Amino acid sequence: MYVALFDIDGTLISSGGAGGAALMGSFRDTFAIRDPRPVKFSGRTDRAIAGDLFQLHGLENNAENWGRLRDGYLDRLPNELGQRTGTILPGIESLLETLDARADIVMGLLTGNLPDGARLKLEHFGIYQYFPFGAFGELHENRDDVARDALRMVQQRLADQTPAQDRIWVIGDTPFDVQCARAIGCQALAVATGVHDRDELALSEPDLLLDDLDNAGPWLQQLGPR
Ligand SMILES: [Mg+2]
């Protein structure tokens, strides 16, 4: 048995900026801040991004403000996804079909997105059905904690079928994805389809580094024959 835990943005899809636009739109309208200062998104959880926005603008980083920002974000996201030209990244549909056809591979999500944000994005691109479970960024500012949730979920779902950690892969496009794989002692596959190029990703020392998942052969080899 193998487990593949996928990041979403920059790994499976590009939302064409829809996620950022929906979050910043919600922040602007909810807190009446016309020109919010920019924050880093890539590889971070939605809860962490919200925390930065609150701190930068002197707002309390509490459950109430987070709830208001989150609700506005989820309200806006479908419209933003429809208006922007996002895309499924190269090779993803074919790779998901290949993995889904194997009885010895379990797929899940390990993402900084909210559960509903992940669902809306992946439904928009028609690939939500491949992911029967996931760990999300609603509660945690640190991606390593999302990874710990993901590992617990794998252990709960697979019980005594849970593979050794060297058969559990975390697939993502940022150094944070590699780092969170390390936090749970699992394998890291880094793909240069997000904002980080190969050289940047190499510094985080993933177990495998690929230009994109259209050329996933080297990874599939590591998963062994069917
Ligand atoms: Mg990503």
Side-chain angles (χ1 to χ4, degrees), residues 7-11 43 143 173-174 177:
D7 168 56
I8 294 179
D9 297 288
T11 301
R143 195 179 188 95
D173 67 307
T174 75
D177 295 85

Side-chain angles (χ1 to χ4, degrees), residues 31 33 48 53-54 56 79 99 115 126 143 176 197 203 219 223:
F31 301 102
I33 291 168
L53 283 169
F54 295 146
L56 276 172
N79 190 39
L99 298 176
R143 195 179 188 95
F176 291 121
D197 65 24
L203 292 174
W219 181 46
L223 300 182

